[in-house]
Amino acid sequence: MNGALITELGKKVDIHKDRIQVNGRLVGLPDVKEVHWIVINKPKGVLAILKDEKGRQTIADLIPKANSLRLVPVGGMDRDHSGLMLLTNDVGWIHPLTHPSYEFSRQYEVIVRGLISQEVLAALNSGQPIPRTEISLPQCSVVLKDVDQRNQLSLLVFQSEKLSMSKIEELLESIHLPVESSKSVSFGPVKLRGLKKGDWRELTSVEIDKLKKSCKLSPVK
């Protein structure tokens, strides 16, 4: 690295400044013309990987050029979850966009069976224990977006830098708010709107620039 031999494990590299050579060959980010960022609306039941040994449907089946472009999912998503996913071959950005220490914001829409009280909403937004329980989540933004009184359904919008969809679902189930459906609707400044299930598109240069600028340059300790 930068002309010096590195033997220690876990050596940190600045992908924008350091010059890396392996066996005398320069290793770096792809040329800007070859960099691709894809956003897809992953349907429920589709694996968030490029290849499955059991022959199950993956996101590569929905994005024909995923393998040839060597796209990599930015973060994971359970098979039973749906919504916005990013893929890229600009792999140097995957760690800062996915590791919790960088506090990168995500937004989820969750429909639960039951009517949520203002008391519970206040607890979720403050990070305090849920009333009459010892259950709590890290402080996050939770908005009650819509209520279906007839069918006893509530639409909640969670925005968090630390919580996964699975963790949110686990909490809601534990306070007797069964999850009917959930989906990822934003990843930083990238929004899901306009994409039908299974559809995808490439991010514009403006979107890519906003995405990178919205990511903290160093992890929060």
Side-chain angles (χ1 to χ4, degrees), residues 101-120:
S101 62
Y102 286 82
E103 296 192 345
F104 198 79
S105 181
R106 304 183 190 199
Q107 193 175 78
Y108 310 101
E109 288 186 356
V110 184
I111 297 177
V112 297
R113 182 163 294 283
L115 303 180
I116 190 167
S117 68
Q118 291 299 318
E119 191 179 21
V120 170

Side-chain angles (χ1 to χ4, degrees), residues 173-184:
E173 296 281 353
S174 70
I175 59 175
H176 310 295
L177 291 171
V179 175
E180 291 289 302
S181 66
S182 59
K183 65 179 178 181
S184 172

Side-chain angles (χ1 to χ4, degrees), residues 59-125:
I59 48 177
D61 295 317
L62 304 175
I63 308 173
K65 59 182 180 178
N67 286 305
S68 62
L69 293 178
R70 298 182 180 178
L71 297 177
V72 178
V74 180
M77 185 182 290
D78 291 347
R79 184 184 183 188
D80 291 335
H81 290 159
S82 64
L84 184 151
M85 272 201 71
L86 292 177
L87 298 93
T88 186
N89 56 7
D90 198 355
V91 295
W93 281 94
I94 292 178
H95 177 72
L97 289 176
T98 57
H99 196 278
S101 62
Y102 286 82
E103 296 192 345
F104 198 79
S105 181
R106 304 183 190 199
Q107 193 175 78
Y108 310 101
E109 288 186 356
V110 184
I111 297 177
V112 297
R113 182 163 294 283
L115 303 180
I116 190 167
S117 68
Q118 291 299 318
E119 191 179 21
V120 170
L121 274 177
L124 290 171
N125 277 283

Side-chain angles (χ1 to χ4, degrees), residues 29-196:
L29 295 176
D31 182 83
V32 67
K33 294 181 180 179
E34 299 175 354
V35 170
H36 293 272
W37 287 82
I38 301 290
V39 57
I40 184 171
N41 185 349
K42 186 189 91 67
K44 182 178 180 179
V46 175
L47 293 173
I49 55 178
L50 300 181
K51 186 177 181 180
D52 179 58
E53 294 180 353
K54 297 181 180 179
R56 293 172 294 182
Q57 188 178 28
T58 72
I59 48 177
D61 295 317
L62 304 175
I63 308 173
K65 59 182 180 178
N67 286 305
S68 62
L69 293 178
R70 298 182 180 178
L71 297 177
V72 178
V74 180
M77 185 182 290
D78 291 347
R79 184 184 183 188
D80 291 335
H81 290 159
S82 64
L84 184 151
M85 272 201 71
L86 292 177
L87 298 93
T88 186
N89 56 7
D90 198 355
V91 295
W93 281 94
I94 292 178
H95 177 72
L97 289 176
T98 57
H99 196 278
S101 62
Y102 286 82
E103 296 192 345
F104 198 79
S105 181
R106 304 183 190 199
Q107 193 175 78
Y108 310 101
E109 288 186 356
V110 184
I111 297 177
V112 297
R113 182 163 294 283
L115 303 180
I116 190 167
S117 68
Q118 291 299 318
E119 191 179 21
V120 170
L121 274 177
L124 290 171
N125 277 283
S126 65
Q128 298 299 312
I130 306 299
R132 293 169 292 282
T133 78
E134 296 182 356
I135 301 168
S136 63
L137 275 180
Q139 183 178 358
C140 59
S141 170
V142 187
V143 175
L144 179 59
K145 188 174 181 180
D146 198 9
V147 174
D148 182 344
Q149 293 280 359
R150 181 178 180 180
N151 295 304
Q152 296 285 289
L153 298 174
S154 301
L155 172 58
L156 303 172
V157 179
F158 284 78
Q159 183 159 337
S160 176
E161 297 157 339
K162 298 179 180 180
L163 295 173
S164 66
M165 201 182 304
S166 295
K167 187 64 178 177
I168 290 171
E169 289 183 353
E170 181 183 323
L171 168 96
L172 293 170
E173 296 281 353
S174 70
I175 59 175
H176 310 295
L177 291 171
V179 175
E180 291 289 302
S181 66
S182 59
K183 65 179 178 181
S184 172
V185 295
S186 76
F187 193 107
V190 181
K191 309 297 182 184
L192 181 64
R193 57 176 176 263
L195 279 181
K196 297 179 181 179

